[in-house]
Amino acid sequence: MKWTPIGGLGEVGKNMMALEYNNNILIIDTGIMFPESDMHGIDSVIPDYGFLSDRRDQVKGIVITHGHEDHIGAIEFVVKDFPGVPIYATPLTKGLIENKLREAKLMDRTTVTSVATDATFNVGPFKVEMFRMCHSIPDNCGIGVTTPAGLIVHSGDFKFDHSPVDGETSDFAKLAEFSARGVLALFSDSTNAEVPGITPSEREIEPALEHVFRDAPGRIFVATFASLISRVQQVINVCEIYGRKLAVAGASMTDNVRLAQKMGYLNVPEGLLVRLEDALKMPPQEVAFMATGTQGEPTAALGRIATGKHPQITAQPGDTFVLSAHPIPGNEEYVHRIINRLYQKGATVVTTAHSKVHVSGHACQEEQKLLMSLVKPKFFVPIHGELRMLHAHRRLALDVGIPAENIFIGENGTPIEFVDGQAKQIERVPGSYIYVDGNTVGEIGQAVLNDRASLARDGFVIVVVRRNEEGGLAGKPELISRGFTYATDTKDLLDRIAQTAAEGLSGINGGSAASTIRDKAAELVQRAISSQTRRKPMVMAVVV
Amino acid sequence: MKWTPIGGLGEVGKNMMALEYNNNILIIDTGIMFPESDMHGIDSVIPDYGFLSDRRDQVKGIVITHGHEDHIGAIEFVVKDFPGVPIYATPLTKGLIENKLREAKLMDRTTVTSVATDATFNVGPFKVEMFRMCHSIPDNCGIGVTTPAGLIVHSGDFKFDHSPVDGETSDFAKLAEFSARGVLALFSDSTNAEVPGITPSEREIEPALEHVFRDAPGRIFVATFASLISRVQQVINVCEIYGRKLAVAGASMTDNVRLAQKMGYLNVPEGLLVRLEDALKMPPQEVAFMATGTQGEPTAALGRIATGKHPQITAQPGDTFVLSAHPIPGNEEYVHRIINRLYQKGATVVTTAHSKVHVSGHACQEEQKLLMSLVKPKFFVPIHGELRMLHAHRRLALDVGIPAENIFIGENGTPIEFVDGQAKQIERVPGSYIYVDGNTVGEIGQAVLNDRASLARDGFVIVVVRRNEEGGLAGKPELISRGFTYATDTKDLLDRIAQTAAEGLSGINGGSAASTIRDKAAELVQRAISSQTRRKPMVMAVVV
């Protein structure tokens, strides 16, 4: 039996993983990541599952743990590449997947089977057992897979919340049962492996929200993730207590709230939810809003409100904005900028820096150790995290008593082979990630990104060299630049550089090859710019 | 009397401030900031003190609080613009300033006067009193200024450390004395205004360092800020205890250590400091290294070691890297990448996530309140922080009992006028910041940055349209692109787009103006690219 983590940028197995036995393949999750800040122009990043592409007939099924983007966002690509392969998901997850497939017009290319959060079903030689784990979205599951090589347990994204908002706690009984049956390997979420203690229960944010609602002099905007259905429920609850109506801003959150309400995952008192247009006409102290944009995204509702670009909502003195989320590392600067802009408009901003208005959806160290103690695996594989987190998780496993030689840290594309109760890492396959840019997938590689980084740094200069009929230089070369400097500011500079190029090229004649002139012109301009400005724009020459 | 905060990107008065009385100007600090992540290609950012430029004769002196880059980094620009204006600084600060002036060949353009950390001196109508405040560099001071309008107190960067490594505590006596004399206004450091409690003493990191040194199986690399002289002292101390030699990697830290040692700010046992070349030949468990690069800078020592590009040092299994610094917001992603890369090379990494190997140099909430209680100012002006921090600091001032109408939050360039014991904010002057790129200062504006952002996102395409002798189209236009996509991957795409352009331009003739053809060609190509790829590279046309 072979397990391979696929995709997730720096995070191992975050977006996708594959189990193989005798040429039968089971895929777990099909997620997407958002690009790192120096992946210029990239819209999203999908797992590189190319090593499975010539084995389509062997893929027996796809099981999804939960409905977050980093676990379902690549479903349209996977369905196109593996048409007809059945997908299994719990009800809310199924609803979210089908929204995506409908939008991509792929509903007829596959079937999504709804499975209960405690379902057991077979996919090829694999017996799959779903089990409920708490996380920041309803219907989240871990997965047990009984294979001919043994039982493996995958935690999925999890925390142990003993008082979750939806009342559905993690399935400790199932974990204990797995342990009794003997677990070959545990694959476990490492997100918070560097954070000591226990992640607070979602319930613990209610006093903080109540405090805000009690004191706010005007409108209240609660920003959180579009998929954080339980946070929406909590805001609905405080709205009811403090007699405010609630409106939702932003398409993704509106869609999710509608779906969750229809499927019974939200309990909304009659008349409490109002339309955005109506809410904006109500007295400020009688209304609250939910919005997306807690990661500083300029096009999400919160970002637009902060920059004054929202078509309907204008921040005003007396408004209170609650950022009910932590910034994902890399987004801090953008999030802080939004907070500053809201203050600039006279609003008050409440963040996790002042008040417990958000808790993580992932287990901290003590919960991670509890899971290991419950499951008692022979082998332990920390996943869902960057190397630094996997190593922290490894240290916890050592503390719990798992022998160092039974702990495996790999990277995306590094399979672990389980044979006769033994495990070893084997040769790496391509399994990292692919860039999505516009509607092109996989066409943008590192070379293009390097060019973009260079253009971002210093812009470009194009030298147009005109030759006369005899092949000699026809006048001074023309320089066209963008992102380098402004011709109006530094006309002299560009003139001087063009002059230098003209002098350097004065000797060309009918015998000079165009390519030689091109290289020479570029080199002359590059050198002149470098000596006069110490900058290095991209220089290209055109000879005509 | 008028006070104006200048520069500091989003941080108010961080880099520079000006006091004015009857056309006499006192400048406090002349610092630099590093660019935000979307300021593409910008090397650094200096305060825009242009509103002082036609008033050179009025500038009576420059007082510097301490030797960090964000307080002295712009000294060369200020000295060029205000030659001959005397600079006052405490001894180590003077040494660091002179290093900069020497490098910029400006030593003959000004005089730097060394003042004691408890000096009193006059600058024009201002009586300046330096007073020691703890921070993460020796000889750090706050400044009291007695003006005809009253006494103002500027905290500088500070924390209240009762057991600093150099033994020099903050000057509580002076603060109490100010209070007895009556303080018109307190300007105070807001950096940690969102952090509850008290910043731990620098001493508290010693057990963590000792723990690392006790257990490390091989070489130890401690990375921190080049100016954190007290951290160097602490590492020297543990090296002595555990019998290791110490070498310093990186020019800036080597320079600072040399200066601090020469001036008596470092206590180094004979023979403990060794040259890098020698250290690299010693047994791994007998040596430690200090390096810069804790903010993920790719060109600093740590960044080069992590990416395998350091000319002398190669990370290896058994190495322990200690990151003795917090990532500055915006740098997290780069710092995490370095940590992951070091793990990839088999090293162990110790950060503040696992162990108290760093403490902040700035006061937290209880210290900020203590300062207000000690100084008892009439007016309170939170500075040195983004708006979100200033507002948090404002809330603390309200808690301490300062009336809301006596607290002023402004932005860079917004002066406060103090007249007859009253204060008010007056009309804003230009006082934000100026971009430095290569050796050009202030030439790069927002328009160039917008072009760079656009080039970073989607690159560019140049259309070269050739006309024949009759002015008609001579063959298919040529497309040159960088950062957009690769011609080898998508030759077809570019061919199709060129064909579309050729068809659209087929009607041109001798009567068509070059500018019309240029606009039309660009528009045709832009539209074809957008419809086929949904991307928007910058498109420019050249007609020849």
Side-chain angles (χ1 to χ4, degrees):
Chain A
M1 201 261 298
K2 202 158 78 183
W3 168 87
T4 312
I6 316 165
L9 285 180
E11 296 196 57
V12 177
K14 181 73 182 172
N15 299 151
M16 193 165 172
M17 48 180 73
L19 282 178
E20 280 178 57
Y21 185 80
N22 260 356
N23 288 329
N24 292 281
I25 299 165
L26 171 68
I27 290 173
I28 298 176
D29 288 342
T30 59
I32 209 166
M33 294 290 270
F34 294 101
E36 294 175 359
S37 57
D38 50 3
M39 294 177 178
H40 294 299
I42 299 300
D43 297 312
S44 60
V45 176
I46 61 171
D48 178 3
Y49 49 83
F51 74 102
L52 296 176
S53 63
D54 56 348
R55 303 170 64 192
R56 294 182 190 194
D57 296 341
Q58 301 176 5
V59 180
K60 303 301 178 199
I62 300 165
V63 184
I64 308 290
T65 58
H66 66 290
H68 280 155
E69 280 300 307
D70 50 350
H71 295 261
I72 66 167
I75 195 79
E76 60 169 304
F77 306 104
V78 173
V79 164
K80 275 182 202 152
D81 287 332
F82 303 104
V85 172
I87 300 170
Y88 304 88
T90 51
L92 181 64
T93 313
K94 175 175 188 271
L96 292 164
I97 290 172
E98 287 183 339
N99 275 354
K100 283 187 181 296
L101 293 178
R102 210 169 287 123
E103 203 176 313
K105 299 192 173 39
L106 291 170
M107 283 294 276
D108 57 342
R109 302 279 284 279
T110 189
T111 54
V112 188
T113 303
S114 178
V115 295
T117 54
D118 60 353
T120 299
F121 50 95
N122 291 310
V123 178
F126 304 107
K127 184 174 90 174
V128 176
E129 291 171 86
M130 309 295 283
F131 59 95
R132 199 184 277 283
M133 291 290 260
C134 293
H135 185 45
S136 47
I137 189 168
D139 275 5
N140 178 70
C141 281
I143 300 176
V145 184
T146 305
T147 77
L151 168 61
I152 66 125
V153 175
H154 168 39
S155 73
D157 284 10
F158 84 103
K159 69 188 271 193
F160 286 129
D161 191 334
H162 303 294
S163 52
V165 170
D166 64 2
E168 303 282 359
T169 52
S170 301
D171 192 345
F172 290 103
K174 190 64 158 186
L175 292 169
E177 188 201 318
F178 285 144
S179 171
R181 276 148 60 183
V183 173
L184 179 66
L186 170 65
F187 301 83
S188 181
D189 175 5
S190 308
T191 309
N192 280 342
E194 296 190 315
V195 187
I198 286 179
T199 302
S201 169
E202 274 189 311
R203 287 268 183 232
E204 291 194 27
I205 72 159
E206 288 181 12
L209 283 180
E210 289 193 20
H211 193 89
V212 171
F213 273 67
R214 197 189 64 207
D215 295 347
R219 305 184 300 181
I220 299 170
F221 295 82
V222 181
T224 193
F225 299 105
S227 60
L228 228 178
I229 300 302
S230 62
R231 196 61 39 86
V232 178
Q233 184 67 60
Q234 291 178 302
V235 174
I236 288 170
N237 297 349
V238 281
C239 277
E240 199 184 1
I241 296 170
Y242 290 94
R244 288 184 186 246
K245 301 291 182 189
L246 181 65
V248 178
S252 57
M253 191 177 265
T254 304
D255 288 351
N256 286 348
V257 166
R258 194 169 295 151
L259 180 70
Q261 196 178 3
K262 201 176 85 184
M263 295 182 71
Y265 290 91
L266 269 181
N267 178 11
V268 190
E270 186 73 27
L272 191 139
L273 273 179
V274 296
R275 292 189 319 161
L276 184 59
E277 306 84 81
D278 297 334
L280 289 166
K281 293 183 202 133
M282 296 172 66
Q285 63 282 11
E286 293 179 14
V287 66
F289 300 82
M290 293 210 70
T292 54
T294 53
Q295 298 307 310
E297 310 94 313
T299 56
L302 188 67
R304 289 179 180 211
I305 296 170
T307 52
K309 287 179 186 155
H310 196 280
Q312 294 152 295
I313 305 170
T314 311
Q316 59 196 40
D319 285 349
T320 302
F321 287 83
V322 180
L323 268 67
S324 186
H326 291 127
I328 294 167
N331 295 341
E332 291 87 348
E333 201 176 330
Y334 304 105
V335 176
H336 293 161
R337 216 178 273 178
I338 279 181
I339 297 171
N340 292 332
R341 289 212 170 113
L342 292 170
Y343 273 119
Q344 219 168 15
K345 293 178 189 298
T348 296
V349 188
V350 180
T351 72
T352 52
H354 321 118
S355 178
K356 197 186 272 178
V357 289
H358 180 65
V359 293
S360 170
H362 297 272
C364 287
Q365 292 179 346
E366 294 307 315
E367 293 156 276
Q368 292 171 334
K369 289 194 278 184
L370 174 58
L371 180 63
M372 297 181 222
S373 299
L374 277 166
V375 171
K376 295 195 199 308
K378 177 168 182 184
F379 297 104
F380 178 67
V381 187
I383 55 166
H384 286 14
E386 302 170 26
L387 275 178
R388 64 194 171 97
M389 301 163 186
L390 306 188
H391 279 273
H393 209 171
R394 175 179 179 276
R395 289 190 286 268
L396 299 179
L398 291 171
D399 287 349
V400 166
I402 298 176
E405 64 273 20
N406 286 7
I407 304 172
F408 291 94
I409 293 183
E411 295 192 58
N412 285 316
T414 305
I416 300 176
E417 196 172 59
F418 297 90
V419 178
D420 295 335
Q422 295 308 309
K424 65 167 194 277
Q425 281 178 323
I426 59 173
E427 202 184 340
R428 195 163 173 177
V429 297
S432 58
Y433 51 80
I434 288 177
Y435 299 124
V436 180
D437 183 351
N439 62 358
T440 65
V441 180
E443 280 176 22
I444 304 292
Q446 197 53 46
V448 171
L449 287 191
N450 291 347
D451 280 349
R452 289 182 183 173
S454 164
L455 289 167
R457 212 157 38 232
D458 286 317
F460 70 84
V461 176
I462 303 281
V463 199
V464 182
V465 181
R466 287 187 175 76
R467 301 175 79 176
N468 55 29
E469 286 179 17
E470 292 77 42
L473 195 63
K476 216 159 67 170
E478 188 190 346
L479 297 188
I480 301 170
S481 86
R482 292 300 282 275
F484 168 53
T485 181
Y486 256 153
T488 46
D489 294 357
T490 47
K491 194 169 172 322
D492 277 3
L493 170 70
L494 291 176
D495 272 357
R496 279 201 309 277
I497 291 166
Q499 187 57 42
T500 309
E503 286 159 17
L505 292 170
S506 61
I508 65 168
N509 56 46
S512 317
S515 63
T516 312
I517 300 172
R518 193 163 55 226
D519 293 351
K520 178 125 191 226
E523 192 198 321
L524 285 164
V525 169
Q526 190 116 53
R527 211 186 303 147
I529 290 174
S530 170
S531 77
Q532 298 197 36
T533 66
R534 280 198 242 158
R535 278 182 267 162
K536 289 196 176 126
M538 191 179 278
V539 177
M540 298 175 84
V542 181
V543 179
V544 288
Chain B
M1 200 261 298
K2 203 158 77 183
W3 168 87
T4 311
I6 315 167
L9 286 180
E11 294 197 59
V12 177
K14 180 76 185 175
N15 298 151
M16 191 166 176
M17 47 179 75
L19 282 176
E20 281 179 57
Y21 184 81
N22 261 355
N23 289 329
N24 292 280
I25 299 166
L26 170 68
I27 290 174
I28 299 176
D29 289 340
T30 59
I32 210 166
M33 295 289 270
F34 294 100
E36 294 175 0
S37 57
D38 50 2
M39 294 178 178
H40 294 299
I42 299 301
D43 296 314
S44 61
V45 176
I46 63 170
D48 177 3
Y49 49 83
F51 72 103
L52 296 175
S53 63
D54 55 349
R55 304 172 64 192
R56 295 183 188 193
D57 296 341
Q58 301 176 5
V59 179
K60 303 302 177 198
I62 300 165
V63 184
I64 308 289
T65 57
H66 67 289
H68 279 156
E69 280 300 306
D70 50 350
H71 296 261
I72 67 168
I75 195 77
E76 61 169 302
F77 305 104
V78 174
V79 165
K80 275 183 202 152
D81 287 332
F82 305 104
V85 172
I87 299 170
Y88 304 89
T90 51
L92 180 65
T93 313
K94 176 176 189 272
L96 292 165
I97 290 172
E98 287 182 341
N99 274 354
K100 282 187 182 295
L101 294 177
R102 210 169 288 122
E103 203 175 314
K105 300 189 172 40
L106 291 170
M107 282 294 276
D108 58 342
R109 301 280 283 280
T110 191
T111 55
V112 188
T113 303
S114 177
V115 296
T117 53
D118 60 353
T120 299
F121 52 95
N122 292 311
V123 178
F126 305 106
K127 183 175 90 173
V128 176
E129 292 171 84
M130 307 297 282
F131 58 95
R132 198 185 278 282
M133 292 288 260
C134 293
H135 185 46
S136 46
I137 188 169
D139 274 6
N140 178 70
C141 281
I143 300 175
V145 185
T146 305
T147 77
L151 168 62
I152 65 125
V153 174
H154 168 38
S155 72
D157 284 9
F158 84 104
K159 68 189 271 192
F160 287 128
D161 192 333
H162 304 293
S163 51
V165 170
D166 64 2
E168 303 284 1
T169 53
S170 301
D171 191 346
F172 290 102
K174 191 63 158 186
L175 292 168
E177 189 200 319
F178 285 144
S179 169
R181 277 148 59 184
V183 173
L184 179 66
L186 169 65
F187 300 83
S188 181
D189 175 5
S190 309
T191 309
N192 281 342
E194 296 190 315
V195 187
I198 287 179
T199 302
S201 168
E202 275 188 310
R203 286 268 183 235
E204 293 194 26
I205 72 160
E206 288 180 11
L209 283 179
E210 290 193 19
H211 192 91
V212 170
F213 273 67
R214 196 190 65 206
D215 295 347
R219 306 185 300 181
I220 299 171
F221 295 82
V222 181
T224 194
F225 300 105
S227 61
L228 228 178
I229 300 302
S230 63
R231 194 63 37 88
V232 178
Q233 184 67 61
Q234 290 179 301
V235 174
I236 287 170
N237 297 349
V238 281
C239 278
E240 201 184 2
I241 296 171
Y242 290 94
R244 287 182 186 246
K245 302 290 184 192
L246 181 67
V248 178
S252 57
M253 190 176 264
T254 304
D255 288 351
N256 286 348
V257 166
R258 194 170 293 150
L259 180 71
Q261 195 177 3
K262 201 175 86 185
M263 296 182 71
Y265 291 90
L266 268 182
N267 179 12
V268 189
E270 187 73 29
L272 189 137
L273 273 180
V274 296
R275 292 190 318 160
L276 185 59
E277 307 82 82
D278 297 333
L280 289 167
K281 292 181 202 134
M282 298 172 65
Q285 63 281 13
E286 292 178 16
V287 67
F289 301 82
M290 292 210 70
T292 54
T294 55
Q295 298 308 310
E297 310 93 312
T299 56
L302 187 67
R304 289 179 181 212
I305 296 170
T307 51
K309 288 177 185 157
H310 196 281
Q312 293 153 295
I313 305 169
T314 309
Q316 59 196 41
D319 284 350
T320 302
F321 287 83
V322 180
L323 268 67
S324 186
H326 291 127
I328 293 167
N331 295 341
E332 291 87 348
E333 199 177 330
Y334 305 106
V335 176
H336 293 161
R337 217 179 274 180
I338 279 181
I339 297 171
N340 291 333
R341 289 213 169 110
L342 291 170
Y343 272 118
Q344 218 167 19
K345 292 178 189 300
T348 295
V349 187
V350 180
T351 73
T352 53
H354 321 117
S355 178
K356 199 186 271 179
V357 289
H358 180 65
V359 294
S360 172
H362 297 273
C364 287
Q365 292 179 346
E366 294 307 315
E367 293 157 276
Q368 291 171 334
K369 289 194 280 185
L370 174 57
L371 180 63
M372 296 181 222
S373 298
L374 279 165
V375 171
K376 292 195 201 311
K378 179 169 179 184
F379 297 104
F380 178 67
V381 187
I383 55 166
H384 287 13
E386 301 169 27
L387 276 178
R388 64 194 171 97
M389 302 163 184
L390 306 188
H391 279 272
H393 209 171
R394 176 180 178 275
R395 289 190 285 269
L396 299 178
L398 290 171
D399 287 350
V400 166
I402 299 177
E405 61 274 19
N406 286 8
I407 305 171
F408 291 93
I409 291 182
E411 295 190 58
N412 285 317
T414 304
I416 300 176
E417 197 172 58
F418 297 92
V419 178
D420 296 335
Q422 295 308 309
K424 65 166 193 276
Q425 282 179 324
I426 60 174
E427 202 184 341
R428 195 165 175 177
V429 297
S432 58
Y433 51 81
I434 287 176
Y435 299 123
V436 180
D437 183 353
N439 61 358
T440 66
V441 180
E443 279 176 23
I444 303 293
Q446 197 52 48
V448 172
L449 287 192
N450 290 347
D451 280 349
R452 288 181 183 173
S454 163
L455 289 167
R457 214 158 35 232
D458 286 318
F460 70 83
V461 176
I462 304 280
V463 198
V464 183
V465 180
R466 286 186 174 79
R467 301 175 78 176
N468 55 30
E469 286 180 16
E470 292 77 41
L473 193 65
K476 217 159 67 169
E478 188 191 346
L479 298 189
I480 301 169
S481 85
R482 292 301 281 274
F484 168 54
T485 182
Y486 257 151
T488 45
D489 294 356
T490 47
K491 197 169 170 315
D492 277 1
L493 170 71
L494 291 177
D495 272 355
R496 278 201 309 278
I497 290 166
Q499 186 57 41
T500 308
E503 286 160 18
L505 293 170
S506 59
I508 66 169
N509 56 48
S512 315
S515 63
T516 312
I517 299 172
R518 193 162 54 228
D519 294 351
K520 176 121 192 230
E523 192 199 320
L524 285 164
V525 169
Q526 190 115 54
R527 210 187 302 147
I529 291 173
S530 169
S531 77
Q532 297 197 35
T533 66
R534 280 197 242 159
R535 278 184 264 163
K536 289 192 175 127
M538 192 178 279
V539 176
M540 298 176 83
V542 181
V543 179
V544 289

